[in-house]
């Protein structure tokens, strides 16, 4: 099952994808790479266009020296001071190109937190508080980015606006189900996915308007942002393509055409309903978790633990893997988990109550005790999550 999962990860290899795409691109005057896959994407671009100025913004785990490039690291999933420095550096880099110039933007998942440049008077602390609030309230990625775009000078077309009148071309590695460009890294090269008025309505409908920082409320009550200049955007890798690669690696398996999205409990019930003798079923997607406790874990670990609970008592041997293609599930060092019919017994033998751990959103220590954490290390790419279910 691990080999099947990794086949999906390899399909999203950022260096290969950019190398293939670069053949049809005119030499740029500036390369900027933003996201968890930024280093690999930039490496391929510099091979194709040596000597081009290049700025890379990625996460701490994937950051490394790259000859010919400036590499910066930002915080994820909550932005930090590194994110603020990186966001300002990105705006400065594209702003320096000018009329007649060309900018190649390499965009991948994670960029929303890795680089921030808040609209004044919003501060970094305000943005971090907002991100934690939205994550804890179970906002999906589209809802989160609708709000964040309207508080940023970088997101929702901000990078393109800062680079104007230079021409901008973007190669995009999608970590979003449906490949909505305005959602991937909060859409730095495409118009915002909604207005400030729509962001206000969303927050009010979820009873969060009065809980977000006052500075955010002030900005969301202002006039709308300037139009975004047209850019050429191309998706070169996605969750769907990686799920299809898993299918190639698992002859006889079935790929569910409907991705796993929405609440993690609903996704677990759907997976359990698909458990039939002799079945291997594959999914792609990205679920959400509503935090009700103070434990440690991530959406893939929680999904795996919920599936283990849902399938307890099944007489046939079974196994289920859920993993993030970036190798990091939530604020942990695990990509997810690979559970089986013995998972709950191993947890109980370790003195843990699986249901109690789940109620506290404490899936990581539970799965560590049962030996079921999926540990891949940072993969250098990011196309959301992949799942494999096999029933003997």
């Amino acid at each position: 099952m691990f080999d099947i999962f990794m086949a999906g990860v390899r399909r999203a290899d950022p260096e290969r994808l950019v190398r293939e795409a670069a053949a049809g691109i005119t030499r740029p005057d500036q390369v900027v790479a933003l996201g968890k896959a930024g280093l690999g994407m930039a490496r391929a671009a510099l091979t194709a266009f040596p000597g081009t100025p290049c700025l890379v913004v990625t996460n701490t785990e994937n950051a490394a020296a790259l000859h010919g490039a400036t590499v910066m690291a930002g915080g994820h999933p909550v932005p930090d001071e590194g994110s603020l420095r990186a966001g300002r550096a990105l705006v400065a880099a594209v702003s320096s190109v000018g009329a007649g110039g060309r900018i190649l933007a390499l965009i991948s998942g994670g960029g929303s937190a890795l680089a921030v440049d808040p609209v004044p008077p919003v501060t970094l602390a305000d943005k971090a508080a907002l991100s934690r609030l939205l994550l804890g309230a179970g906002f999906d990625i589209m809802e989160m980015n609708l709000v964040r775009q309207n508080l940023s000078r970088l997101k929702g077309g901000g990078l393109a606006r800062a680079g104007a009148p230079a021409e901008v071309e973007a190669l995009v590695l999608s970590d979003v189900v449906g490949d909505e460009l305005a959602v991937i890294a909060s859409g730095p090269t495409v118009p915002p996915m909604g207005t400030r008025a729509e962001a206000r309505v969303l927050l009010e409908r979820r009873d969060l308007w009065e809980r977000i920082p006052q500075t955010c409320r002030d900005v969301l009550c202002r006039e709308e942002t300037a139009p975004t200049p047209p850019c050429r955007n191309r998706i070169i890798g996605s969750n769907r393509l990686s799920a299809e690669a898993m299918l190639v690696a698992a002859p006889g398996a079935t790929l569910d055409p409907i991705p796993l999205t929405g609440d993690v409990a609903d996704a677990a019930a759907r997976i359990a309903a698909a458990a039939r003798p002799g079945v291997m079923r594959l999914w792609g997607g990205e679920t959400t978790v509503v935090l009700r406790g103070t434990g440690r874990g991530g959406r893939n670990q929680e999904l795996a633990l919920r599936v283990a609970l849902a399938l307890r008592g099944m007489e046939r041997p079974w196994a289920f893997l859920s993993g993030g293609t970036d190798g990091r599930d939530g604020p942990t060092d695990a990509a997810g988990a690979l559970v089986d019919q013995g998972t709950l017994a191993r947890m109980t033998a370790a003195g843990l109550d699986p249901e109690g751990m789940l109620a506290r959103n404490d899936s990581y220590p539970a799965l560590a005790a049962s030996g079921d954490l999926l540990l891949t290390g940072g993969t250098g790419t990011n196309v959301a999550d992949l799942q494999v279910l096999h029933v003997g």
Side-chain angles (χ1 to χ4, degrees):
M1 294 179 75
F2 177 77
D3 290 342
I4 296 169
F5 170 74
M6 289 305 298
V9 173
R10 287 191 295 271
R11 174 60 180 81
D13 175 58
E15 194 165 347
R16 176 183 61 81
L17 294 170
V18 172
R19 185 170 61 246
E20 293 171 354
I25 296 176
T26 302
R27 183 182 183 89
D29 300 289
Q30 173 74 52
V31 173
V32 292
L34 170 62
K36 292 183 179 180
L39 197 71
M41 296 178 84
R43 184 180 293 112
L46 288 177
T47 299
F49 310 113
T52 302
C54 179
L55 172 62
V56 181
V57 177
T58 190
N59 55 321
T60 302
E61 293 85 355
N62 291 342
L66 176 60
H67 180 70
T70 298
V71 179
M72 304 181 72
H76 190 277
V78 177
D80 60 11
E81 289 289 342
S83 305
L84 183 61
R85 289 191 295 270
R88 291 172 175 171
L90 280 170
V91 170
V94 299
S95 298
S96 68
V97 177
R102 300 178 61 86
I103 299 166
L104 176 59
L106 309 171
I107 309 299
S108 57
S112 296
L114 296 173
V116 298
D117 191 10
V119 176
V122 178
T123 67
L124 175 63
D126 294 334
K127 285 291 293 281
L130 177 72
S131 294
R132 285 191 292 267
L133 185 62
L134 299 184
L135 284 167
F139 272 45
D140 64 32
I141 189 64
M142 297 184 72
E143 293 170 326
M144 290 185 66
N145 284 351
L146 168 60
V147 176
R148 293 189 294 195
Q149 285 176 346
N150 283 288
L151 297 168
S152 175
R153 294 191 291 192
L154 182 63
K155 301 172 174 62
L159 187 71
R161 292 192 294 272
E167 183 178 338
V168 178
E169 180 167 1
L171 302 179
V172 183
L173 186 63
S174 172
D175 67 329
V176 174
V177 175
D179 302 332
E180 177 61 53
L181 286 167
V183 181
I184 304 163
S186 289
T189 58
V190 296
M193 59 184 301
T195 65
R196 287 174 174 170
E198 290 170 331
R200 291 197 305 270
V201 170
L202 173 62
L203 291 164
E204 289 168 351
R205 189 168 62 240
R206 302 286 280 273
D207 295 324
L208 291 176
W209 177 251
E210 295 298 331
R211 296 174 60 191
I212 69 173
Q214 179 63 50
T215 55
C216 297
R217 295 202 297 270
D218 291 343
V219 171
L220 292 176
C221 288
R222 292 182 189 172
E223 294 182 1
E224 302 297 339
T225 57
T228 302
C231 303
R232 184 185 181 196
N233 293 280
R234 281 194 287 159
I235 291 179
I236 57 175
S238 70
N239 181 257
R240 180 66 186 182
L241 292 172
S242 285
E244 290 173 352
M246 288 202 305
L247 185 61
V248 172
T254 300
L255 174 61
D256 195 313
I258 303 175
L260 288 173
T261 59
D263 186 75
V264 67
D266 295 335
R270 185 173 147 201
I271 292 163
R276 296 288 185 274
V279 164
M280 176 172 281
R281 200 165 184 90
L282 314 175
W283 289 269
E286 184 171 288
T287 59
T288 58
V289 174
V290 176
L291 298 178
R292 297 183 175 88
T294 59
R296 188 180 182 208
R299 61 182 179 267
N300 287 287
Q301 294 162 64
E302 182 151 331
L303 178 60
L305 182 50
R306 286 182 178 275
V307 169
L309 287 165
L311 294 182
R312 61 184 165 186
M314 176 173 278
E315 295 181 358
R316 290 178 179 270
W318 60 269
F320 173 71
L321 181 153
S322 184
T325 55
D326 61 351
R328 292 291 184 267
D329 184 32
T332 76
D333 60 353
L338 200 173
V339 295
D340 58 34
Q341 69 274 7
T343 291
L344 300 182
R346 293 191 294 271
M347 288 181 188
T348 303
L352 300 179
D353 171 20
E355 291 178 315
M357 300 293 279
L358 184 62
R360 298 191 297 273
N361 299 114
D362 213 13
S363 54
Y364 181 92
L367 292 161
S370 63
D372 293 328
L373 289 173
L374 179 64
L375 299 166
T376 64
T379 64
T381 191
N382 185 23
V383 290
D385 305 333
L386 299 170
Q387 290 84 20
V388 185
L389 171 69
H390 183 228
V391 182

